[in-house]
Amino acid sequence: MASAPTSNYNSHSLENESFKKTSRDGVNWGLGEAVPRLPGETRITEKEVIYICPFNGPIKGRVYITNYRLYLRSLEMDSALILDVPLGVISRIEKMGGATSRGENSYGLDITCKDMRNLRFALKQEGHSRRDMFDTLTKYAFPLAHSLPIFAFLNEEKFNVDGWMVYNPFEEYRRQGLPNHHWRITFINKCYELCDTYPPLLVVPFRATDEDLKRVATFRSRNRIPVLSWIHPENKTVIVRCSQPLVGMSGKRNKDDEKYLDVIRETNKQISKLTIYDARPNVNAVANKATGGGYESDDAYHNTELLFLDIHNIHVMRESLKKVKDIVYPNVEESHWLSSLESTHWLEHIKLVLTGAIQVADKVSSGKSSVLVHCSDGWDRTAQLTSLAMLMLDSFYRSIEGFEILVQKEWISFGHKFASRIGHGDKNHADADRSPIFLQFIDCVWQMSKQFPTAFEFNERFLITILDHLYSCRFGTFLYNCESAREKQKVTERTVSLWSLINSNKDTFKNPFYTKEVNRVLYPVASMRHLELWVNYYIRWNPRIKQQQPNPVEQRYVELLALRDEYIKRLEELQLANSAKLSDPSTSPSSPSQMLPHVQTHF
């Protein structure tokens, strides 16, 4: 892996990146204040500490804690270090050392973050000096454990765009040409009575009645019945998502479920089979029978083909990311880099998720079969596969707003368990439900954007901003596990959407190389040779690895585009002026050459 060793660690250039970004994001600086604050953000306490910087050794600083962030400013003349860490990013706070600890800087706090960082602060040992900092951080980093609101409910930011208006399910299905003669919209789940983790509006086969849906729900895990995600605009094959059937050890059958899958297949008369992609490894799917789950057998589900995609469960992914963190922070050992990276299996998992999505996309694009996708409960691997396949198939989702709609639809509205997987405001860092499933999806999107640099309207900063605010608790977008919980908490009324921030500053997140194309299917290469670790995300805190920002090629391209726009504008102004002269008989040109405007350019 390429790196750029530097003799001196300029901590300002590293950590101040997040501060600069915060300022662009609309943070207000009060007159004479030492810490930036958002509207609704209040300062709680401040303390002098020694920051044990893993790159440049101990740095004396003053730490400020608000109800939203931990902010550290260096007090040393030769260091311009600034740390700006949203409290939502904190996963764990531990005390290091005791009152009798010996050794310099051995007494203080050790903070584990969800964004690959660890922070260590040393404090004076006299008089329990760390107690109030530990108590304050614990209280505001884990508000749910202290009966306090998550900061998103206190945030008073105002943007000129309402991000909550980005996704309207009616409009998105209408864009896809739905409803039609074969698919209808049902409101059976309007009050979340059919399935409490599904959205209120669902698209189902026209021939299936609401009574049929209720009977099918009894045979699908968590009542998550097969519903439509996407329909091909030309061949009309579909991507349908659901959870596993409740087959169990005895191999139970349900005629309504079997008939329902056949009805899905028959919505397209051109196909003879429905392809079922089970995201799990075969052995896991068999093991799920012991807990009442399972998979669709050939003898019960006629006219179907079942394929397993070998994508591992949430626990395997969590352990894999932990290993990534071990090799990227704080030190990158370059002499064994490739073997260390291989031992994490992270890119292997990325490969399997992408390979599965490619299979789904190819099956639908070819028109050979409609596709049904599920894992166990249909809210983790299922969301990865459907959303990535839709991104490959539909160029609309490669625009900034299109991608926001994709995330709102396939992840947020269909009940990916963000609260459980991320642990917003929750102190239980060892909770077995925690897992980087959404991070893995965004990583897959980044891999695609690397292979198709002109296909996406958004840039890398867009993806990193989404991940940063997945953890920050500044916005309501990723809070709670499902729509019913969000509705109960009135999230859209009481919080700001992340898309408000992004859509108010769209130029910041645009890819200057973007070339809009319609109906182009993207098939990324999912071999290990073509996948790479996302350095600008996973290793961004290390100053030796940090890439040049802004990218000089991108910067020059942006300048050329601005120059082009300027010349086009000047040309239009001259043409307007010329046409005005032509319409005036008194200024009629005496020769044809006088009719052409002369524009000098630098190209």
Coordinates of all heavy atoms in Angstrom, one line a residue, residues 317-355:
M317 N -19.1 -10.4 10.6 CA -18.8 -9.1 10.1 C -18.2 -8.2 11.2 O -17.3 -7.4 11.0 CB -20.0 -8.4 9.4 CG -20.6 -9.2 8.3 SD -19.4 -9.8 7.1 CE -20.4 -10.7 6.0
R318 N -18.8 -8.3 12.4 CA -18.3 -7.4 13.5 C -16.9 -7.8 13.9 O -16.0 -6.9 14.0 CB -19.2 -7.6 14.7 CG -18.8 -6.8 15.9 CD -19.8 -7.0 17.1 NE -19.8 -8.4 17.6 CZ -20.9 -9.2 17.4 NH1 -22.0 -8.7 16.8 NH2 -20.9 -10.4 17.9
E319 N -16.6 -9.1 14.0 CA -15.2 -9.5 14.3 C -14.2 -9.1 13.2 O -13.1 -8.8 13.5 CB -15.2 -11.0 14.6 CG -16.0 -11.5 15.8 CD -15.7 -10.7 17.0 OE1 -14.5 -10.6 17.4 OE2 -16.6 -10.2 17.7
S320 N -14.7 -9.2 12.0 CA -13.8 -8.9 10.8 C -13.4 -7.4 10.9 O -12.2 -7.0 10.7 CB -14.5 -9.2 9.5 OG -13.7 -8.8 8.4
L321 N -14.4 -6.5 11.2 CA -14.1 -5.1 11.3 C -13.1 -4.8 12.5 O -12.3 -3.9 12.4 CB -15.3 -4.3 11.4 CG -15.1 -2.7 11.3 CD1 -14.6 -2.3 9.9 CD2 -16.3 -1.9 11.7
K322 N -13.3 -5.5 13.6 CA -12.4 -5.3 14.7 C -11.0 -5.6 14.3 O -10.0 -4.9 14.7 CB -12.8 -6.3 15.9 CG -13.9 -5.8 16.7 CD -14.2 -6.8 17.8 CE -15.4 -6.4 18.6 NZ -15.8 -7.4 19.6
K323 N -10.8 -6.6 13.5 CA -9.4 -7.0 13.0 C -8.9 -5.9 12.1 O -7.7 -5.6 12.1 CB -9.5 -8.3 12.3 CG -9.7 -9.5 13.2 CD -9.8 -10.8 12.5 CE -10.1 -12.0 13.4 NZ -10.4 -13.2 12.6
V324 N -9.8 -5.3 11.3 CA -9.3 -4.2 10.4 C -8.8 -3.0 11.3 O -7.8 -2.5 11.1 CB -10.5 -3.7 9.5 CG1 -10.1 -2.4 8.8 CG2 -10.9 -4.8 8.5
K325 N -9.6 -2.7 12.4 CA -9.2 -1.6 13.2 C -7.8 -1.9 13.9 O -7.0 -1.0 14.0 CB -10.2 -1.5 14.3 CG -9.9 -0.3 15.3 CD -11.1 0.0 16.2 CE -10.7 1.2 17.1 NZ -11.8 1.7 17.9
D326 N -7.6 -3.2 14.2 CA -6.3 -3.5 14.8 C -5.1 -3.3 13.9 O -4.0 -2.9 14.4 CB -6.3 -5.0 15.2 CG -7.2 -5.3 16.4 OD1 -7.5 -4.3 17.1 OD2 -7.6 -6.5 16.6
I327 N -5.3 -3.4 12.6 CA -4.2 -3.2 11.7 C -4.1 -1.8 11.1 O -3.1 -1.5 10.5 CB -4.2 -4.3 10.5 CG1 -5.4 -4.0 9.5 CG2 -4.3 -5.7 11.0 CD1 -5.2 -4.7 8.2
V328 N -5.1 -1.0 11.3 CA -5.0 0.4 10.7 C -4.9 1.5 11.8 O -4.5 2.6 11.4 CB -6.3 0.7 9.9 CG1 -6.4 -0.3 8.7 CG2 -7.5 0.8 10.7
Y329 N -5.2 1.2 13.0 CA -5.1 2.3 14.0 C -4.5 1.8 15.3 O -4.9 0.7 15.8 CB -6.4 2.9 14.3 CG -6.4 4.2 15.1 CD1 -6.3 5.4 14.4 CD2 -6.3 4.2 16.5 CE1 -6.2 6.6 15.1 CE2 -6.2 5.4 17.2 CZ -6.1 6.6 16.5 OH -6.0 7.8 17.2
P330 N -3.5 2.4 15.9 CA -2.9 3.7 15.3 C -1.8 3.4 14.3 O -1.5 4.3 13.5 CB -2.3 4.3 16.6 CG -1.9 3.2 17.5 CD -3.0 2.1 17.2
N331 N -1.2 2.2 14.3 CA -0.1 2.0 13.4 C -0.4 1.1 12.3 O -1.1 0.1 12.4 CB 1.1 1.5 14.2 CG 1.6 2.4 15.3 OD1 1.8 3.6 15.1 ND2 1.7 1.8 16.5
V332 N 0.2 1.4 11.1 CA 0.1 0.5 9.9 C 1.5 -0.1 9.7 O 2.4 0.6 9.4 CB -0.3 1.3 8.7 CG1 -0.3 0.4 7.4 CG2 -1.7 2.0 8.9
E333 N 1.5 -1.4 9.9 CA 2.8 -2.1 9.8 C 2.9 -2.5 8.3 O 2.4 -3.5 7.9 CB 2.8 -3.3 10.7 CG 4.2 -3.9 10.8 CD 4.2 -5.1 11.7 OE1 3.3 -5.3 12.6 OE2 5.2 -5.9 11.6
E334 N 3.7 -1.8 7.6 CA 3.7 -2.0 6.1 C 4.4 -3.2 5.7 O 4.1 -3.8 4.6 CB 4.3 -0.7 5.4 CG 3.3 0.5 5.6 CD 3.8 1.7 4.8 OE1 4.3 1.5 3.6 OE2 3.7 2.8 5.3
S335 N 5.4 -3.7 6.5 CA 6.1 -4.9 6.1 C 5.3 -6.1 5.9 O 5.6 -7.0 5.2 CB 7.3 -5.1 7.0 OG 6.8 -5.2 8.3
H336 N 4.2 -6.2 6.7 CA 3.3 -7.3 6.7 C 1.9 -6.9 6.3 O 0.9 -7.6 6.6 CB 3.2 -8.0 8.0 CG 4.6 -8.5 8.5 ND1 5.3 -7.8 9.5 CD2 5.4 -9.5 8.2 CE1 6.4 -8.4 9.7 NE2 6.5 -9.5 9.0
W337 N 1.8 -5.8 5.6 CA 0.5 -5.2 5.3 C -0.5 -6.2 4.6 O -1.6 -6.4 5.0 CB 0.6 -3.9 4.5 CG -0.7 -3.4 4.0 CD1 -1.2 -3.4 2.8 CD2 -1.8 -2.9 4.9 NE1 -2.5 -2.9 2.8 CE2 -2.9 -2.6 4.0 CE3 -1.9 -2.7 6.3 CZ2 -4.0 -2.0 4.5 CZ3 -3.1 -2.1 6.7 CH2 -4.1 -1.8 5.9
L338 N 0.0 -6.8 3.5 CA -1.0 -7.6 2.7 C -1.4 -8.9 3.5 O -2.6 -9.2 3.4 CB -0.3 -8.1 1.4 CG -0.1 -6.9 0.4 CD1 0.7 -7.4 -0.8 CD2 -1.4 -6.3 -0.1
S339 N -0.5 -9.5 4.2 CA -1.0 -10.7 5.0 C -1.9 -10.3 6.1 O -2.8 -11.0 6.5 CB 0.3 -11.5 5.5 OG 1.1 -10.6 6.3
S340 N -1.6 -9.1 6.7 CA -2.4 -8.6 7.8 C -3.8 -8.3 7.3 O -4.8 -8.7 8.0 CB -1.8 -7.4 8.5 OG -0.6 -7.6 9.0
L341 N -3.9 -7.6 6.2 CA -5.2 -7.3 5.6 C -6.0 -8.6 5.2 O -7.2 -8.7 5.5 CB -5.0 -6.4 4.3 CG -6.3 -6.0 3.6 CD1 -7.2 -5.2 4.5 CD2 -5.9 -5.2 2.4
E342 N -5.3 -9.5 4.7 CA -5.9 -10.8 4.3 C -6.5 -11.5 5.5 O -7.6 -12.1 5.5 CB -4.9 -11.7 3.6 CG -5.5 -12.9 3.0 CD -4.5 -13.8 2.3 OE1 -3.3 -13.4 2.2 OE2 -4.9 -14.9 1.8
S343 N -5.8 -11.4 6.6 CA -6.2 -12.1 7.9 C -7.5 -11.6 8.4 O -8.2 -12.2 9.2 CB -5.1 -12.1 8.9 OG -4.9 -10.8 9.4
T344 N -7.9 -10.3 8.1 CA -9.1 -9.7 8.6 C -10.3 -10.3 7.8 O -11.4 -10.2 8.4 CB -9.1 -8.2 8.4 OG1 -9.2 -7.9 7.0 CG2 -7.9 -7.5 9.0
H345 N -10.1 -10.8 6.6 CA -11.2 -11.3 5.7 C -12.2 -10.2 5.3 O -13.3 -10.5 4.8 CB -12.0 -12.5 6.4 CG -11.1 -13.6 6.7 ND1 -10.5 -14.4 5.8 CD2 -10.6 -14.1 7.9 CE1 -9.7 -15.3 6.4 NE2 -9.8 -15.2 7.7
W346 N -11.9 -8.9 5.6 CA -12.9 -7.9 5.3 C -13.2 -7.8 3.8 O -14.3 -7.7 3.4 CB -12.4 -6.5 5.8 CG -13.3 -5.4 5.6 CD1 -13.2 -4.4 4.8 CD2 -14.6 -5.2 6.3 NE1 -14.3 -3.5 4.8 CE2 -15.1 -4.0 5.8 CE3 -15.2 -5.8 7.3 CZ2 -16.3 -3.5 6.3 CZ3 -16.4 -5.3 7.8 CH2 -17.0 -4.2 7.3
L347 N -12.1 -7.8 3.0 CA -12.3 -7.6 1.5 C -13.0 -8.9 1.0 O -13.7 -8.9 0.0 CB -11.0 -7.3 0.8 CG -10.4 -6.0 1.1 CD1 -9.1 -5.8 0.3 CD2 -11.4 -4.8 0.7
E348 N -12.7 -10.0 1.6 CA -13.4 -11.3 1.2 C -14.9 -11.1 1.4 O -15.7 -11.6 0.5 CB -12.9 -12.4 2.1 CG -12.6 -13.7 1.4 CD -11.9 -14.7 2.4 OE1 -10.7 -14.5 2.7 OE2 -12.6 -15.5 2.9
H349 N -15.3 -10.5 2.5 CA -16.8 -10.3 2.8 C -17.3 -9.3 1.8 O -18.4 -9.5 1.3 CB -17.0 -9.8 4.2 CG -16.6 -10.8 5.2 ND1 -16.9 -12.2 5.2 CD2 -15.8 -10.7 6.4 CE1 -16.3 -12.8 6.2 NE2 -15.7 -11.9 7.0
I350 N -16.6 -8.3 1.5 CA -17.0 -7.3 0.5 C -17.2 -8.0 -0.9 O -18.2 -7.7 -1.6 CB -15.9 -6.1 0.3 CG1 -15.8 -5.3 1.6 CG2 -16.2 -5.2 -0.9 CD1 -17.0 -4.5 1.9
K351 N -16.3 -8.8 -1.2 CA -16.3 -9.6 -2.5 C -17.6 -10.4 -2.6 O -18.3 -10.4 -3.6 CB -15.1 -10.5 -2.6 CG -15.2 -11.4 -3.8 CD -14.2 -12.6 -3.7 CE -14.5 -13.6 -4.8 NZ -13.5 -14.7 -4.7
L352 N -17.9 -11.1 -1.5 CA -19.1 -12.0 -1.5 C -20.4 -11.2 -1.6 O -21.4 -11.6 -2.3 CB -19.1 -12.9 -0.2 CG -18.1 -14.0 -0.2 CD1 -18.0 -14.6 1.2 CD2 -18.5 -15.1 -1.2
V353 N -20.5 -10.0 -0.9 CA -21.7 -9.2 -1.0 C -21.8 -8.7 -2.4 O -22.9 -8.7 -3.0 CB -21.6 -8.0 0.0 CG1 -22.7 -7.0 -0.2 CG2 -21.6 -8.6 1.5
L354 N -20.7 -8.2 -3.0 CA -20.8 -7.6 -4.4 C -21.1 -8.8 -5.4 O -21.9 -8.6 -6.3 CB -19.4 -7.0 -4.7 CG -19.2 -5.5 -4.3 CD1 -17.8 -5.1 -4.6 CD2 -20.2 -4.6 -5.0
T355 N -20.5 -9.9 -5.2 CA -20.8 -11.1 -6.1 C -22.3 -11.4 -6.1 O -22.9 -11.7 -7.1 CB -19.9 -12.3 -5.7 OG1 -18.5 -11.9 -5.8 CG2 -20.2 -13.4 -6.7

